[in-house]
Amino acid sequence: MKILVTVKEVAEAADDFEIDGLDIGEQYLEYDLNEWDDYAIEAGVQLSEEFDDVEVVSATIGPERSEETIRMALAKGVDRAVRVWDDDVAAADLDVAAKTRLLAAVAAEEDPDLILTGVQANDDGFGATGVSLADELGFEWAAVVNHLEMSEDLSTAHVHRELEGGVDEVTEVDLPAVLTIQTGLNQPRYASLRGIRQAQSKEIAAKGLDDLGLDADAVASPIERTSMYEPESESDAVYFEGDADEQAAQLADVLTEKGVVGE
Amino acid sequence: MSADVLAVAEHRRGDLRDVSFEVISAGRQLADALGGELHLAVIAGNVDDFAEKLNREGVDVVHTVSDGAEFNHDLYHGALEALFADLEPAALLMPNSVNGLDYAPAVANALGLPYVSDAVDFDYDGGLEATREMYASKVETTIAVEETPFAVTIRGGEWNPTEEPGEAAIEPFEFEFDADAAGSRVKGFEEAGGGDVDISDAEFLVSIGRGIEEEENLKLVEELAEITGATLSSSRPIVDNGWLPKNRQVGQSGKQVTPDVYLAIGISGAVQHVAGMKGAETIIAVNTDPNAPIFDIADYGVVGDLFDVVPALIEQFS
Ligand SMILES: Cc1cc2nc3c(=O)[nH]c(=O)nc-3n(C[C@H](O)[C@H](O)[C@H](O)COP(=O)(O)OP(=O)(O)OC[C@H]3O[C@@H](n4cnc5c(N)ncnc54)[C@H](O)[C@@H]3O)c2cc1C
């Protein structure tokens, strides 16, 4: 069986930041593996440990810098990686449809039985690529999966989908399928020193639109970000001033006043 | 293409979900801007009963699809594709709920529609302009969509539900659906793990988030909870790490709580967390990041390090 895991390098904003045009200034951004993808990687690697002959391949749309993040996935047990990027991709404002086309082209080459993605990326939070990709490939799918068991013959995934309010939906999904993975599905491992060393020799295949049989139209998008701003604070919060002791004293007063802490 | 809006209602285990009445408001807003009608789709379950309840002010037509008992994405996908082809609306509007996450992107892809998710507001003036959040709610963005028709999902809780009764036409919609051919089958539901403590009953919640860093540091907030007589709850990462049981999780996929005081310590205030605790009477937040979104809904704020503030607070009550 082959498992494809999509891995995104996401940007996180520093506590204090400034907006520069349509994005947060580069100097205020830090890059990391998307939290949800970490759980997807773990799920793929665990399946490869549980079953014989499972290859886990990661797919990333991202610039060279993202290889740092990809190495983390390789160090955790992903066998090899594909990274999609070129000048046209770099210049595009990638919407869900464009990402779907790029990842569908990778999937067409790799021919996986199972694709694991994070539920969402915590930078843009679109929460759409996995399910859109499933539709594009004609695969089955399940979104927001917090429990996964594979049938012995690897034909069906038994999943829980985590609904709102502490209720899980219990569902069977035929393979080939895309599952979008929710945090808490497993405990993502830390990369071992051995894993980190091994990751250095694993392949990261860089691919441009040409290599995937696509042209610039594949990344054209009718969607455009037109502004970014810090939301006007609706807060009328009263801030406690002073050092920690002074803040704590004022906080204690409020708790006593509200009657939730006994005299 | 018409100027109409097709919006999709949501239900679970026999009840319409609140967001169904919010999509009516959002859909009416969009239909007014487009100059068209608002069509509502309700799929699976007791659709006649649902349609009656969904007949609220501003809805022109409710289309009922009576296949299936519960949500199934193959059914929603098929029904919406067929209904969209039939009505040729200018916009398809869906909830950004967990089930929305499971069908909306597939429907948009199948119909070749530009897709914007999790809108907190929008406008239409020749094209959609949607407002969304980014970078864990630290910034807002506007997204312009040049093409109509388009698909958009809305965040729950951002539009007021429509309450007034309406005069909608109720029209059954038939389409070919082969349930046996569907590649996914919903087998049922399971309640997430129980436990002895019900945080939804608590008057005073001390709630801890990822700011606590390590499991062993939990002792600190446990001590605070004990000395103040509070009940301990948490954001999701604490539960994901296995540091507290699931029944302590506050939020969209955890519990909804309405205490007199909610003391959020080291919690950023992600939308899915806020969904569970915004009903608290008084919200107090302790966070090192002055830009953390939790401060937007807090009544009292402590910008500071929990490892200084919590011991000092324990001291106050010792
Ligand atoms: C479908 C779905 C459902 C979800 N359901 C839920 C849910 O039910 N409940 C839930 O909580 N989340 C839920 N989430 C996850 C949610 O998006 C966030 O990831 C989560 O709420 C973040 O938790 P946090 O605030 O503890 O962590 P973070 O966002 O990492 O925030 C930690 C905060 O601690 C602060 N901090 C760090 N160190 C200190 C210190 N020393 N002193 C003081 N402050 C400090 C930081 O400034 C930061 O603001 C869901 C997500 C999805 C996609």
Side-chain angles (χ1 to χ4, degrees), chain A residues 44-219:
Chain A
V45 172
Q46 281 189 11
L47 287 172
S48 77
E49 290 166 344
E50 188 181 344
F51 293 92
D52 294 331
D53 297 323
V54 176
E55 188 187 23
V56 185
V57 181
S58 70
T60 299
I61 303 170
E64 209 174 327
R65 186 197 55 228
S66 60
E67 294 205 352
E68 217 176 295
T69 299
I70 297 171
R71 293 271 173 223
M72 270 161 70
L74 294 171
K76 288 173 184 231
V78 168
D79 295 301
R80 62 185 171 81
V82 178
R83 179 175 69 84
V84 179
W85 202 249
D86 64 17
D87 291 346
D88 287 323
V89 179
D93 208 350
L94 297 176
D95 70 347
V96 175
K99 288 179 201 171
T100 299
R101 286 188 287 266
L102 294 178
L103 292 172
V106 173
E109 281 193 348
E110 295 288 345
D111 195 22
D113 304 285
L114 180 64
I115 301 180
L116 302 174
T117 78
V119 166
Q120 62 174 28
N122 62 353
D123 49 4
D124 67 14
F126 251 81
T129 306
V131 169
S132 177
L133 178 63
D135 183 71
E136 183 71 18
L137 294 171
F139 280 25
E140 253 311 316
W141 73 89
V144 195
V145 169
N146 69 346
H147 178 83
L148 166 63
E149 250 168 87
M150 205 54 82
S151 67
E152 268 311 310
D153 63 357
L154 296 171
S155 66
T156 314
H158 299 269
V159 305
H160 287 193
R161 295 184 51 238
E162 188 187 48
L163 305 177
E164 295 87 351
V167 179
D168 286 358
E169 180 198 277
V170 181
T171 297
E172 257 176 31
V173 185
D174 296 338
L175 264 48
V178 180
L179 306 178
T180 82
I181 302 298
Q182 172 66 307
T183 60
L185 175 86
N186 49 40
Q187 279 290 342
R189 69 194 67 193
Y190 290 101
S192 65
L193 274 175
R194 186 158 158 266
I196 293 169
R197 231 177 302 123
Q198 282 175 345
Q200 293 309 320
S201 56
K202 290 182 179 174
E203 178 197 357
I204 302 179
K207 296 201 184 252
L209 291 175
D210 266 357
D211 306 307
L212 294 170
L214 300 171
D215 57 31
D217 286 349
V219 290

Side-chain angles (χ1 to χ4, degrees), chain B residues 129-148:
Chain B
E129 189 170 83
T131 306
R132 347 177 38 255
E133 293 179 344
M134 249 186 96
Y135 296 121
S137 301
K138 287 192 175 181
V139 298
E140 280 188 1
T141 62
T142 51
I143 307 277
V145 182
E146 288 155 23
E147 282 174 16
T148 306

Side-chain angles (χ1 to χ4, degrees), chain A residues 124-126 224-232 234, chain B residues 29 96 116-124 127-134 139-145 152-155 158-159:
Chain A
D124 67 14
F126 251 81
E224 196 188 355
R225 190 186 304 165
T226 46
S227 72
M228 179 180 284
Y229 50 92
E230 284 188 61
E232 239 170 74
E234 290 153 28
Chain B
Q29 180 190 330
N96 196 61
V116 178
S117 69
D118 205 20
V120 296
D121 196 7
F122 50 58
D123 240 335
Y124 184 90
L128 179 75
E129 189 170 83
T131 306
R132 347 177 38 255
E133 293 179 344
M134 249 186 96
V139 298
E140 280 188 1
T141 62
T142 51
I143 307 277
V145 182
V152 57
T153 70
I154 62 157
R155 176 175 292 182
E158 295 293 325
W159 277 265

